[in-house]
């Protein structure tokens, strides 16, 4: 699979200076963690789940979570498990069906080995498990169960812990909880693909819900947690993990209080005024703003609960021609001793040593999401990705 693989090759050639790479379930973890992109959640109880998965793959989704936790009723867990086993068997029987990376969000550690055993041969379609309300105490049993299931099945399985517990939110317990999480995920580093943020749960602890013209970063109690998670668990010194952005809850805007956050000029240049109006109508201006803030704060990828959110996440993840040029200049072998140079776009300073970690991360993002041509904007990428 590849990002933007659902659009015609000739269109990709027109849009990309460097096209997104191909990757699959057996790709290196470092590549997969960056390539997750917009991870689309779906209840595990959907009766036509296999069809849904194939359909979303055809629309550009490269990672999905099939949820047995908060998205379904407590009474439906057993039926959800049975449905997953049936749907995986269905998918395994489809010849040459291109599928996303598939993860199952479980409730208890015991579900992990049980599901892996019940999947049988179709476990080859499973990339791993999402672990809810992760702390050191609650998380270790999940990670131990995953390691045992991997050994028993002979199939590589990844974990994606969700950081969403009240202990992580509350000031008096945050540092201790973060340090415990760091110990747990470091012990199982080879199996932890990414850390996910459960911002909805954070908000619920205070009876909060952000409006569609507010981002997670406007809710200060939430923004402070994101900051601390990245501070300890998202470092660029080799100890950190990929941390993904929080879910965006809206797909159609109610009555708007504030003016839209989406500038007009990029859409005028691309003659895409109607696209801008459609994005605003569907609350996408807030989403686009939040994606940009995710990236500025060290997050990559995003949890999504609606298919319409996928393309904006991917379009804004593409590396611009300017970013690529700066990163390439910084990483030239002859620059190993440091120094300062002017950007090829003559609009900024590139300081080799301080900007090296940024450049390395940018090159990894360029590998999985591609590099736009010099005259291509995110508006062009959005427009090209929308089904005709």
């Amino acid at each position: 699979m590849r990002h933007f693989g659902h659009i015609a090759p000739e269109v990709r050639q027109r849009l990309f200076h460097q096209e997104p790479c191909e990757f699959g379930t057996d790709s290196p973890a470092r590549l997969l963690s960056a390539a997750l992109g917009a991870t689309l959640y779906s209840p595990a109880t959907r009766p036509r789940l296999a069809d849904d998965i194939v359909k979303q793959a055809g629309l550009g989704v490269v990672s999905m979570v099939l949820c047995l936790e908060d998205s379904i009723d407590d009474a439906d867990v057993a039926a959800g498990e049975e449905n997953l086993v049936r749907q995986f068997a269905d998918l395994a029987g489809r010849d040459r069906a291109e599928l996303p990376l598939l993860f199952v969000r479980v409730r208890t550690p015991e579900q992990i080995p049980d599901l892996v055993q019940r999947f049988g041969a179709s476990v080859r379609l499973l990339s791993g498990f999402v672990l809810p309300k992760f702390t050191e105490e609650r998380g270790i049993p999940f990670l131990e169960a995953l390691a045992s299931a991997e050994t028993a099945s002979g199939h590589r399985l990844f974990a994606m812990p969700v950081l969403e517990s009240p202990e992580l939110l509350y000031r008096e317990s945050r540092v201790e909880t973060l340090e415990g999480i760091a110990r747990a995920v470091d012990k199982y580093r080879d199996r932890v693909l990414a850390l996910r943020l459960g911002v909805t749960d954070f908000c619920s602890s205070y009876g909060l819900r952000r409006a569609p013209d507010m981002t997670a970063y406007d809710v200060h109690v939430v923004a402070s947690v994101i900051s601390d998670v990245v501070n300890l668990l998202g470092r660029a010194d080799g100890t950190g993990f990929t941390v993904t952005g929080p879910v965006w809850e809206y797909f159609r805007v109610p009555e708007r209080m504030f003016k839209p956050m989406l500038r007009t000029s990029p859409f005028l240049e691309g003659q895409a005024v109607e696209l801008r109006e459609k994005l605003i109508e569907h609350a996408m201006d807030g989403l686009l703003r939040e994606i940009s803030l995710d990236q500025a704060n060290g997050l990559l990828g995003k949890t999504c609960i609606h298919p319409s959110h996928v393309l904006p996440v991917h379009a804004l993840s593409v590396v611009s021609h300017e970013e690529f040029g700066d990163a390439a200049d910084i990483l030239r072998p002859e620059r190993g001793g440091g120094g300062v140079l002017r950007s090829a776009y003559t609009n900024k300073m590139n300081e080799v040593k301080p900007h090296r970690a940024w450049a390395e991360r940018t090159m990894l993002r360029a590998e999985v999401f591609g590099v736009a041509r010099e005259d291509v904007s995110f508006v062009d990428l959005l427009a090209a990705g929308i089904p005709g």
Side-chain angles (χ1 to χ4, degrees), residues 74-91:
D74 295 348
D76 294 333
V77 174
E81 292 175 346
E82 292 171 4
N83 189 53
L84 280 181
V85 173
R86 286 195 302 271
Q87 302 293 336
F88 266 68
D90 182 343
L91 289 171

Side-chain angles (χ1 to χ4, degrees), residues 123-382:
V123 75
R124 63 183 174 82
L125 306 179
L126 181 68
S127 291
F129 291 90
V130 175
L131 314 180
K133 300 172 178 59
F134 192 92
T135 62
E136 182 178 28
E137 181 181 2
R138 288 194 293 268
I140 289 291
F142 279 102
L143 292 169
E144 290 175 343
L146 183 137
S148 296
E150 179 179 279
T151 301
S153 66
H155 175 68
R156 182 177 71 165
L157 295 169
F158 288 115
M160 290 201 292
V162 185
L163 311 186
E164 56 187 344
S165 65
E167 300 98 312
L168 182 58
L169 182 63
Y170 299 151
R171 178 182 292 274
E172 68 272 19
S173 54
R174 183 179 305 173
V175 172
E176 181 181 356
T177 302
L178 268 174
E179 289 175 345
I181 291 170
R183 285 191 296 268
V185 295
D186 185 61
K187 182 178 179 181
Y188 291 86
R189 176 171 293 274
D190 291 344
R191 291 188 172 87
V192 176
L193 189 62
L195 305 176
R196 312 200 71 88
L197 288 165
V199 164
T200 301
D201 280 47
F202 289 155
C203 288
S204 73
S205 295
Y206 288 90
L208 304 175
R209 187 174 192 178
R210 68 189 189 278
D213 41 16
M214 297 279 182
T215 72
Y217 302 91
D218 295 310
V219 184
H220 288 190
V221 70
V222 169
S224 70
V225 185
I226 296 174
S227 173
D228 287 344
V229 168
V230 173
N231 191 321
L232 185 58
L233 298 170
R235 297 176 185 177
D237 60 0
T239 67
F241 296 83
T242 294
V243 183
T244 65
V247 69
W248 182 257
E249 298 178 354
Y250 296 93
F251 32 91
R252 184 172 288 275
V253 69
E255 184 179 356
R256 182 180 294 276
M257 183 179 298
F258 300 109
K259 67 180 183 180
M261 292 179 273
L262 209 52
R263 292 188 302 115
T264 304
S265 53
F267 294 85
L268 291 176
E269 292 165 7
Q271 297 299 304
V273 176
E274 289 185 7
L275 173 58
R276 178 179 182 270
E277 292 174 353
K278 183 178 179 181
L279 290 170
I280 291 170
E281 178 187 356
H282 289 80
M284 295 297 181
D285 56 325
L287 171 61
L288 291 168
R289 170 73 171 161
E290 186 166 285
I291 296 166
S292 298
L293 289 170
D294 286 342
Q295 294 175 0
N297 284 278
L299 310 184
L300 182 60
K302 200 165 186 66
T303 295
C304 294
I305 45 83
H306 195 272
S308 64
H309 299 168
V310 172
L311 182 57
V313 174
H314 293 170
L316 282 176
S317 297
V318 173
V319 173
S320 71
H321 188 271
E322 180 175 348
E323 289 176 308
F324 181 72
D326 288 340
D329 283 347
I330 289 165
L331 294 176
R332 285 182 181 176
E334 64 269 25
R335 300 289 183 190
V340 178
L341 57 150
R342 185 175 63 173
S343 167
Y345 277 69
T346 68
N347 60 359
K348 73 177 76 65
M349 171 193 75
N350 288 327
E351 194 168 352
V352 174
K353 289 184 177 179
H355 289 144
R356 177 169 292 276
W358 168 85
E360 290 170 347
R361 284 189 169 184
T362 299
M363 284 304 196
L364 179 59
R365 184 160 55 93
E367 185 175 358
V368 295
F369 289 102
V371 179
R373 290 192 180 275
E374 188 171 2
D375 59 345
V376 169
S377 71
F378 82 93
V379 175
D380 300 308
L381 293 161
L382 277 173

